[in-house]
Amino acid sequence: MARLLSVFGSSLICLSLPALVWAQAPTEPTQDCGLEPPGAVYVPLPEPRPSETAVWSDAEPPPVRQEIRDGTRSAASGLPQTRMRTGALSGKTVYLSPGHGFYRDSRLGRWATQRGNTNDVVEDLISAETLDQYLLPMLMSAGARVVPLREPDLNGRMVIVNNGDADYSETGPEGLFSSAKVPGWGPPPSPMPNNVLPFNLGGSRLMTAAPSATASASWVPRIPADGNYYVYVSHAADAARVPDAHFVVKHAGGESHFRVDQRRHGGTWLMLGRFYFKAGQSAEKGAVVALNDSTATGTVSLDAVRIGGGTGFIGDATMGPLGLPRYLECARYHMQFNGAPASVFAPSGTNGLGNERNDDVTGRARFATWDHEAGEDAVYVSWHTNAGTSGTVVGTETYVYGPNPVDGSLNFTGVPGSDVLATLLRAELDRDFKTAVDANWTTRRLRSAYFGELNPTHNPETPSVLLEIAYHDSVLDSARLKEPEFRRIAARAIMQGLIKYFAAKDGKPVSLPPEPPTVVAAVNVAGGVEVRWAPPATDSNDLGGHGATAYRVYQSEDGLAWDEGTETAGTTLTVNLAAGTTRYFRVAALNAGGESFPSDTVGARVGTTPPVLIVNAFDRLDATMDRPEDLSRFSLGSPLRVLLETMNDGSSVRRHGAAVARHEVAFDSATNEAFAASLVSLSGYQLVDWFTGRGGPGGAAPTRAEQDALRAFVTGGGHLLFSGSQAASRLATGDMADQAFLADILRAAVASGSSSLLVEGQPGEWLASVAGMELDDGTRGGLATGIPDVLTPAGGAAVLRFNGTELSAGISSAPGGQVLFLSVPLEGIVSPLRREYVLGTFLARTGLLATAPPAPGDDPSPPDPGPANQWSAATGKDPRPPDPPPPQPIPPYVLDLLPQFYEEGDTGCGCGAGTGVAAVPWLLLLVIGQLRRRGRKTPYSER
């Protein structure tokens, strides 16, 4: 790490310090792209952390790795908790920078994004959505340690439990615990001002290690609401800490074990994984526990545990907090929250809020330098979308650092290896886009520019690349950026390019993780359930990865909280289960490159003769499903958001399965691809629940083979529940076979009129008792329903209608067996009670239930989730004996003043117009030197 004040031939943007520093006139027009023109002196980088006194070799374990409980230890972190194996990127670190984000604009007097709404997309949102939902988990599933430079958790709730809080406890001999002499995380004020360093606000504890567990510490968060949460831990690093501190995450799906090297990466949040927690669960299903078993002699640092991403809370009297999930904030606030010193997150000072936009750019590279430790094999990758001047430019650009502006030239002067990395990433993106998106995709040659994120003055330690994936101001490219599949292809190409870069660097063969299985089924067999699947497809040019060599089957009782999985080399797995047990499954493919995303969820309820087959034919995931969000208070209008858990996350079977199981009826389930592959057939079932979800014009109608099978099934006396929000209109606009299936089997036609998201029973019909059925719009904890079709009977009878109208939403008929056709997705009904009532009443009508269920009452009120951000207060009596006073007082942790050595004016997203600085006076150096020294200890001060 560079430690001295130096001239590097480029300048931090907007450099000016009145009365102290003089600046030359701008030499070129301002550009809104993070530029740092050459010619200035820089503020020193932060001093190395104590752990940087050692050089880490490839023989050292990764800082965080998941432990498989058969005694072996994996080199991969867990994201979600199911990613366990090593992969092609094991032992590698990727600093992942999603472009831009909300920042405080003092001139506007409010929070703002660094890019505006263009063609209904905002770059600041696109980058976070893509990296958090696609690229980050892909990289971690390939074994990488990923350091995100913005909060990656989309969950806007957060709980932090600190050592010493009422929700923290210690178990074991008192002599094994002591207080450390260095600071740790402490609860900051809320809102948190700019001059607060949260990892210097509190203390930390120590627990002496032993060969086997003889003591433990527990953090039991009060989970505010059911959901998936990232779990983070913090520690005070020291050479006396153990390299394998044992942490156990107890979540709704079971336990996940991790080993953390506490000699490194202290004073920040370390991600363990993503887990499902339920509000009000016991400590056995909602806690983090540190055990003192270790292979080494030393101590375990006990500091704080964080659950969830939370909502932005940095603010002051001038401007309050953002009030949106923290993943939408720019990196500047994330760096402060994650323990970086002010010389990283606020190099332009904090008295003038206008410069926080500049800090966001420069601080990202500086954070990588602060976090990176000598010997770690790391790269820095920044994702952006571009904008031109005419709105007609399209395509991809790849940049490395050079002393030139954005002029199309290449004059590489960055960290060695950056150009090699950029060349491989560029080639992978070019090939994949031309193969899967557009054969004429434009990929420009490698370029250089003086971007702040790539500047080796800020980050001299890791090869760095900036990617401009597409142009959001182009109508053509913005349409692509709205597509989830385009984002997935781009993310996968970056992952594969990184794998090829490290393989070439290390002289190893290229191993690409496989694609997820799509052909999956769960069927009753004697003594339990057999999970069946087919190998995922491969291709000849590595577009989708290499073939699977093994699989991991995950189980869940509710389809939400998953276990650690069972590995197998085959394509079936039989799970012994008692009669009446409901279990859900998903399958991930494995090879030497890593682990795929999991398959869609399937499930089964064990019974002697399963009468129900649930078929998931909801394959649609496209831009027409994007959901607008009203951000007009930020002058953004209503940009489109791509949030998979509100679109199609592959989990809909669990809602159908729960509705069947509620009536103690057995079921099997499968994807419609599994039906096409003959892993299941309709024979032997009395009722088929076939759903297309939010089908519509962008979705596929049932294939001819599927229609023929369903037709034969119904005319042979089988019962069919067929649902989908635009299934009727899709069939009505199809070929003659589609139209005949709609008329002959579903006995319905599309009618004119406007549907709504409120449905009730048709008076006088067999669903008349159900009322007030709300459909999810993507904000009620499920998938967005879209715009349902309005139906009219074509031989059947209307049994559901849109509230207060005569417009039908459900048709009942009996062309052979009983048929119920819903133009609203069953899984889109918000109330589980009403969902269960509709399905149970149909089961009774078909004779599968002896009596129909009673009409549903009101759903129970959900628990009050409390504030978006929670950190425990030390209430009640502390179970520990009083701590002895430290031998010396801990110095102040809140800085009175941060250096304000740049002007408040901001000329772009961390860019300036060619300003330069001739000198930095002694007073500035004195301020910085004092800032660097306050609160520092020697590496061995905790012993």
Side-chain angles (χ1 to χ4, degrees), residues 530-545:
E530 182 179 79
V531 187
R532 305 169 181 172
W533 61 94
T538 58
D539 57 83
S540 59
N541 64 353
D542 287 349
L543 176 68

Side-chain angles (χ1 to χ4, degrees), residues 400 412 415-424 446 464-465:
V400 291
F412 172 58
V415 175
S418 302
D419 53 341
V420 178
L421 173 61
T423 299
L424 285 167
L446 181 63
S464 301
V465 175

Side-chain angles (χ1 to χ4, degrees), residues 796-869:
V799 293
L800 285 180
R801 68 180 188 180
F802 296 101
N803 263 37
T805 73
E806 292 303 319
L807 303 177
S808 298
I811 304 296
S812 175
S813 61
Q818 295 288 326
V819 175
L820 175 60
F821 175 35
L822 303 179
S823 69
V824 298
L826 184 72
E827 68 275 13
I829 300 172
V830 173
S831 165
L833 296 181
R834 282 154 178 75
R835 199 183 308 145
E836 294 162 1
Y837 174 76
V838 170
L839 198 144
T841 304
F842 185 59
L843 288 173
R845 188 170 178 83
T846 63
L848 298 180
L849 279 183
T851 58
D858 293 334
D859 287 86
S861 299
D864 180 5
N869 299 315

Side-chain angles (χ1 to χ4, degrees), residues 312-380:
F313 60 89
I314 288 181
D316 53 30
T318 303
M319 197 179 304
L322 173 61
L324 295 175
R326 281 200 327 108
Y327 80 91
L328 296 175
E329 290 182 338
C330 71
R332 181 254 177 266
Y333 314 106
H334 180 69
M335 292 181 286
Q336 180 183 359
F337 182 66
N338 276 265
S343 54
V344 169
F345 70 78
S348 63
T350 59
N351 294 336
L353 298 181
N355 279 320
E356 292 186 356
R357 183 168 175 170
N358 300 343
D359 295 337
D360 177 49
V361 173
T362 305
R364 295 173 188 241
R366 287 175 165 247
F367 187 92
T369 302
W370 174 75
D371 183 77
H372 180 249
E373 297 185 338
E376 287 188 291
D377 202 356
V379 295
Y380 180 103

Side-chain angles (χ1 to χ4, degrees), residues 110-125:
R110 61 167 173 81
W111 289 80
T113 51
Q114 298 185 29
R115 296 283 198 180
N117 184 344
T118 309
N119 299 315
D120 293 326
V121 294
V122 179
E123 178 184 356
D124 309 57
L125 310 182

